[in-house]
Amino acid sequence: MFDGILIGSLLMGLLGAGLLVRTGPGTAVKFLATIGLIVSLLLSSTYLIADQLTGRGFDASIVFHLTAGMAGAPFIEFLPQILGGIALAFVAVLTGVFVYRGMGALRQNHASARKYAGVGLIMLSVATSPGTRDVVRLTASMLPTGSGAPDTFLVVDQLSEAENPKNFILLFVEQLESTYFNEDVFPGLLPRMTALQDEGIRFTNVDQVTGTGWSIAGMTSSLCGVPLVGSGASNSMSGVDQFMPLAICLGDLLQPQGYRLHHLVGSDLDFAGWNNFFLNHGFESVEGLFELSPDLPADTVYSSWGLHDETLLSVATERLQQLSEGDRPFGMVLNMLDTHHPAGHPSPACQAEPYGTGEIPLLTAYACADRLVTQWIAELRGAGLLENTVVMISSDHLSMPNDVWDRLQGHERRNTVLVLGDDIAPAQVDRAGSLLDLGSTLLNLIGYDVPGIGLGRDLLADPADDTDRIADIESAISDSRGYISALWSLPNLSESVAVDVTTRQLHLGDRSISIPALMQFDDAGMTTAIQFDFYETSPLWTFALQMGGGESFLWFDECSNVSEVFSGMDSSGNVLCAAYGHYGTPNIWGVRLDVGATIDLSRLRSGGVRPRDDAPDGSRRLGMAVTDADEDTTFTLVASGVQPDQSYVRADNQQDVLFLPRGISVVGLQDDGSAVMLDTADSCGFPLPVDDLPPLDFSVADTVAAQASNYDMIAVMVHDSAYCDRYELAPFFAGSEFSDWTQIGYRTPYIALRSAQGALVEKLGASETSITLSTDAAEGE
């Protein structure tokens, strides 16, 4: 259905563009139509590429991995989609430029009708694009809904003691949805597991709901009854010390009952915060690729994801033998990976027995999983390792687009869930459920009577007694978003920030995160997002450039990376730097994290520009940290006519830097080393010339006159550009003592200094260059 909508949206946009060609609609309309067309094409392109990865368009899994990074994932497998996305974005922009240039002079009276029809069709193409639908839906899903637990969310603090608690093995087979068991679609693909289903409880109606559709989301949903929505769905949790610490998951409940809990996976544990999830929730042992590799034979064969399933299951047998020798109940969670989309990675043991002709390795990987899982179960039974043990085999989520995607379409797709055990009678359960229900169901199977955990419910509960059943799970997830976000308990601003430059850890109170990191805060100092760039998958300077105006942030990174955005940072040496303040305002500072460096967090709690008539008392000062100085301070002032933020003020006896916004800024300088933004005006702050520009309440002369007695020196500086045909500069400088401002052109850097004694110094640079001036120049006048 959405393919037709996508095509229709694209055709409307292109038809609208065709109508506009040679209609001469005017600069503003040309710009609006061009941007609208590019947005429409980019939305459709994004949807198309995302749909190839997820099969569901631009969903929460895309947001998660774009922001969380893809640490540990084999990029080569997704290279066609990545290159395709880049190519489509290029085509979208190129098409927009072509259409913009094609809109020539007005020649016909009926061109006005064509103009309005063209613009209307382009706007309609944006509104009807499946990409727009997905963006709106995702945006709505991230809006706060309150932090209290809704009635449908069951908070279970502890379990009642079981008389004979059973062990459990929870085996996730990557993307093993039930469609692969369909003999009409995949004849002879899974014969052994099909037979195995007749030995236990087969759940046939476990659907995929919001926040459960990718691997870490499947883990969180299954073990905690919590979908991965809210803060954890939009941020990487790899660098945070705790993964959803306030959630109560299966491990949190079973560890106090004496369970020994172990997790095995063949991939990198850094991926998507995987390691912290298990360690933070009751698992005493978590082993992944790098933990297991040193003890493996030298001839072990690896896939692009890590360990093949045959190797992982062999290790699992050894671990289960060790666990069974103890006197405590145990639980093991395993994740098989060979069936990962798009093409699969058949274990070496299965290469000689391909599925069919072997031309589709993914199907060979599924056939291999069929053999490996059933042989492993038989091996465990033969060794007596399944006594008093419940085995649950499940897909971690439905398949994402892969080499047999076309065969999966048109069928009722459900997750595979099968339960085996010595005293479990064969049965088929058709009750509707989701992965959220697995944890509750498993708890009851091993001897604990609970109605549910989180948004999960026991799928084996008697319908007559199931009073807590959720009628509309999607509505329940939506109502729970605020509460689920609060479960992350992200570290917030405290009175101080401690940075360990050796271990590269940032400590806020009793919480810690790994550096590099970029934290964003609301006005109350509460963390709204944390971004990381492990493996440099998403450099933090790109996030810094995308932040909204006035947003409070605290960014720790290599000085060379910080200087990509704030070039006033000294990036020499292998050291860390911090930039912090309110992005898009004049209040941004930076500091090298040398020994003794300090960060004034009070600056993050007060944004905006200080009123011009506000006296510079210490409690309101927003500039550099003040230190005692035995002699006058020398300031270095840099003004640049190029982007990004390359203009700043630095005192020789201070550690931090005051960065300047675009436009004209007036800065007060004190001999103690403080620099204070007195006033600023962005005279190029509008994207298009408009007929009625709003007045800018800004006067260099008035600000200097009002503040001259409060500062030892006042600087007037221009960053990026003050002149771009929006405003004339004369009204801003009228009545001032400066004169060289009359030569300021497009992206022309300018610095003027006035000492308390009235000495004046001005310096003007060439367009798109940088200039430097020391306050010694004014003091020598």
Side-chain angles (χ1 to χ4, degrees):
M1 178 178 66
F2 287 114
D3 285 347
I5 296 177
L6 177 65
I7 293 172
S9 171
L10 285 172
L11 288 178
M12 280 191 288
L14 294 175
L15 178 59
L19 290 173
L20 286 172
V21 172
R22 302 190 63 77
T23 60
T27 303
V29 175
K30 284 173 66 176
F31 185 85
L32 176 65
T34 301
I35 293 299
L37 178 62
I38 292 175
V39 168
S40 175
L41 294 175
L42 287 176
L43 282 169
S44 297
S45 301
T46 300
Y47 172 83
L48 185 63
I49 296 300
D51 194 57
Q52 292 185 29
L53 294 171
T54 68
R56 298 177 300 278
F58 195 85
D59 68 358
S61 66
I62 293 291
V63 175
F64 179 86
H65 285 299
L66 283 177
T67 56
M70 292 287 289
F75 278 97
I76 192 67
E77 293 193 3
F78 305 102
L79 188 60
Q81 289 83 2
I82 294 172
L83 294 178
I86 295 173
L88 287 174
F90 177 77
V91 170
V93 174
L94 195 64
T95 302
V97 172
F98 175 79
V99 171
Y100 183 87
R101 297 184 64 180
M103 287 185 270
L106 181 63
R107 300 178 186 276
Q108 308 172 48
N109 292 332
H110 65 272
S112 178
R114 289 175 55 192
K115 174 181 70 175
Y116 292 119
V119 173
L121 282 171
I122 288 176
M123 295 300 104
L124 190 60
S125 74
V126 174
T128 58
S129 170
T132 302
R133 175 212 62 188
D134 286 356
V135 169
V136 171
R137 175 174 51 80
L138 280 171
T139 301
S141 72
M142 295 175 185
L143 294 175
T145 57
S147 58
D151 294 338
T152 52
F153 196 100
L154 298 181
V155 179
V156 180
D157 296 318
Q158 61 184 3
L159 300 173
S160 300
E161 188 172 342
E163 292 183 7
N164 180 29
K166 296 183 179 181
N167 309 312
F168 72 88
I169 299 171
L170 178 52
L171 174 63
F172 288 100
V173 184
E174 180 73 34
Q175 302 181 36
L176 180 68
E177 65 174 76
S178 61
T179 315
Y180 293 108
F181 289 87
N182 190 325
E183 282 290 314
D184 294 331
V185 183
F186 301 104
L189 180 63
L190 306 173
R192 299 170 184 86
M193 291 186 66
T194 298
L196 197 63
Q197 288 183 329
D198 295 333
E199 300 178 20
I201 303 175
R202 177 190 175 199
F203 296 89
T204 64
N205 200 13
V206 179
D207 205 351
Q208 184 157 287
V209 297
T210 298
T212 69
W214 62 104
S215 293
I216 189 62
M219 297 302 100
T220 309
S221 303
S222 300
L223 298 177
C224 308
V226 178
L228 201 55
V229 297
S231 298
S234 58
N235 304 286
S236 166
M237 294 298 111
S238 298
V240 180
D241 56 346
Q242 299 178 35
F243 190 109
M244 203 180 284
L246 300 185
I248 301 175
C249 305
L250 210 66
D252 301 305
L253 295 170
L254 292 176
Q255 185 187 48
Q257 299 295 319
Y259 273 77
R260 296 178 61 192
L261 301 175
H262 192 91
H263 175 59
L264 286 175
V265 65
S267 62
D268 183 351
L269 290 175
D270 267 348
F271 185 55
W274 199 279
N275 188 47
N276 283 340
F277 170 66
F278 284 95
L279 289 178
N280 294 161
H281 293 287
F283 281 71
E284 63 182 58
S285 178
V286 180
E287 295 179 290
L289 172 63
F290 297 108
E291 291 73 25
L292 296 172
S293 294
D295 297 325
L296 296 177
D299 60 352
T300 298
V301 178
Y302 297 85
S303 75
S304 56
W305 276 99
L307 301 181
H308 279 291
D309 291 343
E310 63 175 298
T311 304
L312 182 73
L313 293 177
S314 176
V315 173
T317 301
E318 296 177 8
R319 298 295 185 267
L320 286 170
Q321 182 66 54
Q322 296 166 4
L323 290 170
S324 67
E325 293 171 356
D327 57 359
R328 295 162 52 192
F330 63 82
M332 175 178 284
V333 177
L334 301 92
N335 288 78
M336 295 171 59
L337 297 172
D338 282 354
T339 50
H340 201 288
H341 79 299
H345 309 274
S347 287
C350 300
Q351 298 286 356
E353 298 183 29
Y355 174 76
T357 62
E359 61 183 3
I360 304 178
L362 176 66
L363 293 182
T364 297
Y366 276 108
C368 182
D370 178 65
R371 176 149 60 97
L372 291 176
V373 169
T374 53
Q375 287 179 349
W376 186 62
I377 295 296
E379 178 185 350
L380 296 181
R381 282 174 173 166
L385 297 178
L386 295 187
E387 294 179 5
N388 197 40
T389 299
V390 172
V391 178
M392 178 178 281
I393 302 171
S394 175
S395 49
D396 59 341
H397 53 84
L398 298 182
S399 284
M400 293 182 175
N402 57 29
D403 290 347
V404 293
W405 186 243
D406 57 332
R407 301 194 204 179
L408 297 173
Q409 305 308 300
H411 300 280
E412 186 179 61
R413 301 174 61 199
R414 294 291 186 266
N415 282 289
T416 295
V417 180
L418 170 65
V419 175
L420 303 169
D422 290 340
D423 58 351
I424 292 179
Q428 178 173 307
V429 177
D430 300 324
R431 176 178 174 177
S434 70
L435 292 179
L436 293 165
D437 304 313
L438 295 197
S440 305
T441 305
L442 183 56
L443 279 175
N444 281 278
L445 285 167
I446 63 175
Y448 296 93
D449 183 17
V450 292
I453 55 172
L455 294 175
R457 301 295 186 267
D458 178 14
L459 292 175
L460 294 173
D462 185 344
D465 299 330
D466 192 10
T467 56
D468 292 312
R469 184 175 182 179
I470 299 174
D472 185 347
I473 185 61
E474 291 293 350
S475 294
I477 292 173
S478 179
D479 293 341
S480 302
R481 285 195 309 271
Y483 180 72
I484 294 171
S485 293
L487 296 178
W488 285 97
S489 184
L490 295 176
N492 298 308
L493 288 182
S494 58
E495 292 303 314
S496 64
V497 174
V499 181
D500 189 327
V501 295
T502 303
T503 62
R504 302 204 164 202
Q505 290 288 310
L506 171 65
H507 301 282
L508 294 95
D510 61 352
R511 298 295 303 279
S512 63
I513 62 175
S514 299
I515 297 173
L518 188 152
M519 304 179 68
Q520 294 163 261
F521 308 94
D522 60 19
D523 293 339
M526 304 296 289
T527 304
T528 58
I530 305 177
Q531 307 290 355
F532 301 93
D533 67 345
F534 293 104
Y535 294 75
E536 298 184 351
T537 54
S538 302
L540 288 183
W541 61 265
T542 63
F543 285 108
L545 289 173
Q546 296 166 6
M547 285 189 294
E551 191 163 12
S552 300
F553 73 97
L554 183 56
W555 174 21
F556 296 87
D557 207 334
E558 300 283 349
C559 291
S560 58
N561 291 330
V562 177
S563 64
E564 289 283 346
V565 179
F566 306 113
S567 63
M569 301 301 301
D570 178 5
S571 60
S572 61
N574 184 27
V575 295
L576 296 172
C577 284
Y580 62 107
H582 310 273
Y583 197 78
T585 77
N587 300 316
I588 299 178
W589 297 265
V591 58
R592 278 172 58 101
L593 298 178
D594 297 314
V595 177
T598 60
I599 296 173
D600 182 5
L601 293 183
S602 65
R603 293 169 171 171
L604 296 180
R605 298 189 177 97
S606 53
V609 181
R610 188 158 56 81
R612 285 172 295 190
D613 58 354
D614 187 16
D617 60 281
S619 62
R620 293 295 304 279
R621 184 169 292 147
L622 301 178
M624 299 179 185
V626 179
T627 61
D628 294 330
D630 296 331
E631 55 186 25
D632 292 346
T633 300
T634 298
F635 289 88
T636 297
L637 295 84
V638 177
S640 174
V642 293
Q643 293 179 323
D645 291 346
Q646 297 175 332
S647 302
Y648 58 88
V649 177
R650 183 199 300 274
D652 61 3
N653 66 343
Q654 301 295 330
Q655 297 170 320
D656 54 3
V657 179
L658 175 64
F659 298 104
L660 303 182
R662 182 178 63 182
I664 309 168
S665 297
V666 183
V667 182
L669 308 175
Q670 296 279 47
D671 282 343
D672 61 9
S674 61
V676 179
M677 182 68 68
L678 301 177
D679 204 0
T680 186
D682 183 0
S683 48
C684 292
F686 297 89
L688 287 171
V690 294
D691 296 332
D692 187 19
L693 286 167
L696 292 182
D697 182 18
F698 177 79
S699 168
V700 170
D702 291 350
T703 302
V704 171
Q707 300 290 351
S709 61
N710 295 325
Y711 294 92
D712 298 301
M713 194 169 295
I714 291 180
V716 179
M717 304 176 64
V718 170
H719 165 63
D720 186 2
S721 191
Y723 179 75
C724 50
D725 290 326
R726 271 62 163 179
Y727 293 88
E728 293 296 328
L729 301 185
F732 301 147
F733 284 91
S736 73
E737 303 166 275
F738 308 113
S739 58
D740 289 354
W741 61 266
T742 57
Q743 303 175 51
I744 295 175
Y746 178 67
R747 286 193 169 176
T748 303
Y750 169 82
I751 303 174
L753 280 171
R754 183 191 189 281
S755 69
Q757 293 74 36
L760 300 176
V761 174
E762 293 182 86
K763 187 172 183 177
L764 191 77
S767 176
E768 298 193 344
T769 64
S770 295
I771 58 174
T772 302
L773 186 64
S774 170
T775 52
D776 288 340
E779 292 170 350
E781 289 292 316

